Amino acid sequence: MEFVFSEETRFKETEIGLIPEDWQVVRLGEVITDVISGDWGEEIKKDGYVECYVLRGTDFVNIESGLYNKIPKRYIKKNSFEKRQIVNNDILIELSGGGPDQPTGRVFLATNNFLEKFTKVCFSNFIKKLKLDTKIDPVYFFRNWQNLYNNGKTRIYEKRTTGIRNFKLKDFIDKEFIPLPPLPEQKAIAEVLRTIQEAKEKTEAVLKATKELKKSMMKHLFSYGNVSLSDVDKVKLKETEIGPIPEHWQVVRLGEVAEIVMGQSPPGTSYNQSGIGPPFLQGKAEFGNMYPKVINYTTMPIKHAKIKSILLSVRAPVGEVNIADKEYCIGRGLSSISFKNNLGINFFLFYYLVYSKKTIEEMGSGSTFKAINKSQVKNLLIPLPPLSEQQAIADILLAIDEKIQKEEEKKKAIENLFKSMLQNLMSGKIRVQKMEA
């Protein structure tokens, strides 16, 4: 399927701003023929009731992340279920919930891809299902609502009771307008956006698979070393305090082979945002995927982390790890770790600490927040292969991380493309026609 794009030059002024001359403007309510309330059903089965999954507003985000197993099963009266059963292209609106950065009024489009995960699914009493007029394409309608939501329009139609946000659906559909191109163009717009969305989903699938590969590779490499799966049986192992490892590896305490510096925060009066002084890291909040993200500087540095040293979070949350890509001043929530006298490869140690995150977390103690001290860090047991094997293991995991970073960048680029196309197609600045093969 091919699309032909063009830049529109003929516009008219409307209630929603400039739109192409041949488009209409309609209130949302004008293209909605019915609004159906949900049913939460019963927890225990009764005669005349149907067992089904019941979709809640909180499930909308989970579904986008591929988490289908959190949708609860309930029992709905048969005639109620028949009225509320979700089918392909149904539009569902969240009425209650939200948060400071997440308004209510989120929209969900039921697709065959979603529906094939369930035998029967309906929706809860905090969701409304919308039936649409045949003059509007359901996917086009969904994308318009999504655009209004992204632009903060639904926030205007919220009321709050006991801290819970509730969405004033009737007011919203009575007062908000959307552009209405000819039906073929609506379908073309929806198809373009669907194509971009599919590209994002494929990238997310690759990203998820690569992250799973990284987990399994860490387990393999730190148990057997840099050997292929077919040669695992040839590796002679020995039992140690940290589990089975290759016979020729050592187990050492971190303090025996590494320099450990515990952070100390400078006075608060020395913090600044202007970039004067060395970059200052307070704790995990500044951590990125591998390297820190600097949000502050200090004019009075105290404790330093060397370039390429490992940054370990020692206070709530314990066990987060980063690599110092430059010299940093570190606060008391962090420690800096680097091998002494070329005894090891810092990236090898970085990945082993990532692999051991749960063990390090469990070392934490404290009533208000968990923390570990220098003695605990020094006494942490680590494997110590020969330097050449450390480097090989680090190189393998670095290559996987490079793949993860590229996929994350690709995902971000697709997300930006989607937002841009959504805005331009919905405003008519870019016109699209679908060319049938």
Side-chain angles (χ1 to χ4, degrees):
M1 186 179 299
E2 294 184 359
F3 301 100
V4 176
F5 297 94
S6 60
E7 188 174 339
E8 182 58 78
T9 57
R10 296 169 298 129
F11 292 93
K12 62 183 178 184
E13 188 65 55
T14 69
E15 300 91 327
I16 58 173
L18 294 174
I19 65 168
E21 287 180 349
D22 59 327
W23 285 18
Q24 300 177 49
V25 172
V26 295
R27 286 188 178 85
L28 285 166
E30 291 178 49
V31 293
I32 297 170
T33 59
D34 197 7
V35 178
I36 301 169
S37 299
D39 188 346
W40 182 229
E42 303 288 341
E43 189 174 353
I44 300 171
K45 188 173 183 179
K46 298 179 180 179
D47 288 340
Y49 280 65
V50 175
E51 183 185 45
C52 64
Y53 291 91
V54 181
L55 192 67
R56 306 159 298 177
T58 53
D59 296 314
F60 288 7
V61 173
N62 290 332
I63 293 166
E64 287 178 5
S65 305
L67 301 175
Y68 297 97
N69 59 349
K70 295 190 176 183
I71 301 174
K73 274 187 177 180
R74 304 279 292 180
Y75 296 93
I76 308 290
K77 195 175 288 188
K78 186 179 178 182
N79 61 352
S80 176
F81 170 75
E82 289 171 352
K83 182 179 179 182
R84 294 171 176 84
Q85 183 174 15
I86 300 173
V87 297
N88 188 46
N89 281 340
D90 270 352
I91 300 288
L92 304 169
I93 307 297
E94 172 203 42
L95 296 184
S96 183
D101 299 314
Q102 179 185 288
T104 54
R106 283 181 296 181
V107 61
F108 178 78
L109 174 71
T111 63
N112 284 326
N113 183 52
F114 162 72
L115 294 169
E116 68 186 12
K117 307 282 192 303
F118 310 96
T119 50
K120 296 183 178 73
V121 60
C122 65
F123 54 100
S124 77
N125 49 346
F126 289 112
I127 290 177
K128 299 278 190 185
K129 181 166 85 167
L130 307 182
K131 286 194 171 183
L132 303 179
D133 192 287
T134 54
K135 67 183 177 183
I136 190 163
D137 178 74
V139 184
Y140 174 80
F141 179 92
F142 164 72
R143 294 302 183 193
N144 262 286
W145 192 297
Q146 191 177 53
N147 195 38
L148 291 169
Y149 179 87
N150 291 341
N151 290 333
K153 287 286 187 178
T154 57
R155 288 182 182 273
I156 304 168
Y157 298 89
E158 286 186 336
K159 62 180 179 181
R160 302 191 187 192
T161 56
T162 62
I164 298 174
R165 295 176 178 226
N166 295 296
F167 182 55
K168 297 186 285 186
L169 176 64
K170 187 176 185 308
D171 289 350
F172 184 72
I173 64 177
D174 284 348
K175 295 178 182 178
E176 288 299 326
F177 295 88
I178 60 170
L180 194 69
L183 191 57
E185 189 170 0
Q186 293 177 39
K187 292 181 180 294
I189 290 170
E191 189 67 17
V192 169
L193 295 173
R194 182 193 64 79
T195 302
I196 300 172
Q197 182 66 24
E198 282 186 355
K200 177 189 170 186
E201 289 168 0
K202 287 177 182 177
T203 302
E204 286 173 337
V206 172
L207 190 54
K208 182 179 179 182
T210 310
K211 287 180 177 180
E212 289 300 318
L213 171 65
K214 179 181 173 182
K215 287 180 185 178
S216 62
M217 284 302 297
M218 283 197 293
K219 184 175 181 180
H220 172 83
L221 292 168
F222 293 125
S223 299
Y224 300 101
N226 181 27
V227 297
S228 65
L229 290 173
S230 59
D231 290 333
V232 161
D233 293 340
K234 300 175 185 176
V235 179
K236 292 183 179 180
L237 301 178
K238 63 182 178 184
E239 284 295 334
T240 70
E241 302 95 317
I242 59 174
I245 60 171
E247 200 172 55
H248 64 289
W249 288 15
Q250 299 178 56
V251 174
V252 298
R253 297 188 187 280
L254 189 56
E256 297 171 8
V257 295
E259 178 187 357
I260 299 165
V261 176
M262 304 299 283
Q264 181 181 345
S265 300
T269 53
S270 75
Y271 298 2
N272 70 83
Q273 299 285 342
S274 62
I276 299 171
F280 170 57
L281 301 176
Q282 180 72 10
K284 189 258 177 186
E286 291 93 355
F287 277 21
N289 291 333
M290 182 181 288
Y291 301 110
K293 298 176 180 178
V294 181
I295 61 172
N296 214 326
Y297 295 82
T298 176
T299 54
M300 194 180 295
I302 297 179
K303 295 288 186 176
H304 283 275
K306 299 176 183 176
I307 186 170
K308 293 187 180 178
S309 65
I310 294 146
L311 301 167
L312 174 67
S313 175
V314 294
R315 289 163 61 99
V318 171
E320 298 289 342
V321 190
N322 259 206
I323 286 280
D325 56 335
K326 63 185 76 169
E327 189 172 276
Y328 290 99
C329 174
I330 54 173
R332 60 179 183 156
L334 299 174
S335 65
S336 167
I337 305 165
S338 54
F339 275 115
K340 302 174 185 174
N341 304 321
N342 296 320
L343 290 173
I345 307 296
N346 277 1
F347 270 102
F348 168 82
L349 180 57
F350 164 74
Y351 284 115
Y352 184 74
L353 294 179
V354 171
Y355 176 67
S356 306
K357 183 174 183 288
K358 187 175 180 182
T359 300
I360 300 170
E361 282 178 336
E362 291 171 351
M363 291 163 51
S365 60
S367 54
T368 54
F369 55 84
K370 301 290 184 183
I372 56 176
N373 57 39
K374 187 172 184 177
S375 175
Q376 289 173 297
V377 177
K378 289 174 67 175
N379 285 310
L380 183 67
L381 295 172
I382 65 164
L384 197 67
L387 283 175
S388 60
E389 291 185 50
Q390 290 185 41
Q391 187 66 63
I393 289 170
D395 287 345
I396 290 168
L397 295 173
L398 278 166
I400 296 174
D401 264 340
E402 185 178 337
K403 171 70 172 173
I404 289 172
Q405 183 180 349
K406 285 181 179 177
E407 292 300 324
E408 285 178 338
E409 289 171 357
K410 182 178 176 182
K411 177 186 171 184
K412 185 68 176 174
I414 294 172
E415 287 173 342
N416 290 337
L417 173 64
F418 183 89
K419 288 177 183 176
S420 173
M421 290 299 287
L422 180 66
Q423 191 67 35
N424 285 316
L425 290 170
M426 292 302 180
S427 64
K429 291 176 182 176
I430 294 176
R431 304 292 296 268
V432 60
Q433 291 182 338
K434 185 164 59 174
M435 303 298 292
E436 299 294 346

